[in-house]
Each structure stands twice: as C-alpha cells, then as structure tokens.
Amino acid sequence: DLSGSITTPDVKLNLGGEFVKESTATTFLRQRGYGWLLEVEDDDPEDNKPLLEELDIDLKDIYYKIRCVLMPMPSLGFNRQVVRDNPDFWGPLAVVLFFSMISLYGQFKVVSWIITIWIFGSLTIFLLARVLGGEVAYGQVLGVIGYSLLPLIVIAPVLLVVGSFEVVSTLIKLFGVFWAAYSAASLLVGEEFKTKKPLLIYPIFLLYIYFLSLYTGV
C-alpha cells in the first residue's frame, strides 16, 4: 500500500524588499504555466497625460496667436509668422464657434453654416493660392482664416451700441472687415505672388464681408 500526502510548497515573492506568501490558486496556476494570467502591466506614462496635452492644445500658443492677429502691425514686435508656420486646429475652431454663437443674436442654426463657410472658404483660398504659385498648406489657410475672425468679434459689441447710427455703424463694419482681411492677407499673401497679390487679397476681403453679413443679418 502506498500512502502519503502532497503538501503545497510555500512560494514567496520578493515585492519591493518584502516577502509575500502566494495563495494556493496562484501557485497552482504558476506550476501549470498560466502565470501570465496573473501578470499586471505597469501604467504607461503616456496614458497619464493631461487632457489638454492629449488633445494637443497649447493655451499659451493660442493666446500668442490671438495677440498676433489682433495686433498685426510689424512695429509691435510679434512674430506673426507663427500663425501660418505653426498651424493648429483647436484655436481657430474656438474662434469660429465663438463668432457663430454671437451671430444673428443667438440663432444657433447659423453655427453649422458659419463652420461650413470657414472650411470651404478656406479651401477656396487655398486652391486659388496654389494656382497662383503660393507655397501654402490647407491647414495653414484654415488656421489663418479662423484666427482672423477675431477683429469681427471685437467690433461686435461696438455695433450693438452704435447700431442706431447708420454712418458710424458702417464705418466700424468697414474697419472690422479691413482689419480682418489685412491680418489674414499679410500672413497668406507672400512675396512669391509678386504682381498677383490682388487676385488673392480680393477673395479674402469678400470672404470676411460675407462673414460680417452673417453676423448682422444683412
């Protein structure tokens, strides 16, 4: 007769300098080659990034670009080319959405239309620039056109105050359109266009006139 007993060996793991006794189930799985079921992956540092970093949103960069657009004069010392050479998506989208929200005095149905005009208007400017020999990417045009809506946002509260004075209101509208068009054209219309600059400046000017008409309801 054979008799005896099988005892489970005590297996201890060294975790951070401390010995921890494994349970019977853990030992059973390890002995049969299923220890991989018990493995726990370390947290990936990439998964612990802040939300803004995950979405590639740099608030300081967006704020600097806003200042470059609102103050386009070269004498102020801003490196305005960063708006064109380092394009982003979230900053222009935020500007376009904000302009959409204040347009037509809260009629939210216009939001989708303004975004559509922004996307396809920028596409038209991009195609025209490429035809004229400009070296510019669609993302750059999209960013510049979006950021350059800021002057129209700035004049919006002024129009609410002087709306009853037709002459003053018209002058402010013209000022806002010229401000926006100059800010965009000075970034998109480079020296490579030479004598063809008016062919690109004119549709940019018309695009901002249309944006303004969406705000005023004209």
Side-chain angles (χ1 to χ4, degrees), residues 10-182:
D10 289 340
V11 180
K12 297 182 178 180
L13 298 178
N14 186 358
L15 299 176
E18 297 181 358
F19 287 95
V20 180
K21 185 177 179 180
E22 286 189 340
S23 64
T24 303
T26 300
T27 304
F28 177 81
L29 290 174
R30 289 189 184 280
Q31 288 178 344
R32 283 158 178 75
Y34 296 102
W36 57 272
L37 293 172
L38 306 173
E39 294 178 359
V40 179
E41 295 184 358
D42 295 333
D43 291 337
D44 188 352
E46 296 292 330
D47 296 335
N48 299 325
K49 290 183 178 180
L51 179 60
L52 292 181
E53 189 175 347
E54 285 285 347
L55 297 176
D56 195 23
I57 300 175
D58 189 342
L59 295 180
K60 291 183 179 179
D61 181 59
I62 292 174
Y63 174 65
Y64 184 81
K65 291 177 179 177
I66 288 175
R67 294 170 66 192
C68 290
V69 171
L70 291 179
M71 294 176 281
M73 289 72 70
S75 59
L76 296 177
F78 290 107
N79 180 20
R80 301 188 64 248
Q81 288 301 317
V82 72
V83 182
R84 169 178 170 170
D85 298 337
N86 186 26
D88 66 288
F89 176 73
W90 298 107
L93 178 62
V95 174
V96 173
L97 286 176
F98 187 71
F99 178 76
S100 302
M101 298 298 287
I102 66 174
S103 294
L104 295 182
Y105 312 104
Q107 297 183 27
F108 298 126
K109 61 185 179 181
V110 80
V111 173
S112 60
W113 180 243
I114 289 180
I115 293 176
T116 301
I117 294 301
W118 170 48
I119 293 174
F120 286 97
S122 299
L123 179 61
T124 302
I125 300 298
F126 164 71
L127 294 176
L128 184 58
R130 298 293 290 185
V131 169
L132 296 175
E135 296 295 332
V136 63
Y138 176 60
Q140 294 174 325
V141 178
L142 196 68
V144 170
I145 295 297
Y147 273 117
S148 296
L149 273 174
L150 284 166
L152 300 187
I153 295 176
V154 171
I155 69 169
V158 181
L159 291 177
L160 292 177
V161 176
V162 300
S164 57
F165 303 96
E166 185 175 350
V167 176
V168 178
S169 177
T170 301
L171 290 176
I172 292 176
K173 291 176 184 177
L174 289 175
F175 172 73
V177 171
F178 276 109
W179 185 3
Y182 173 78

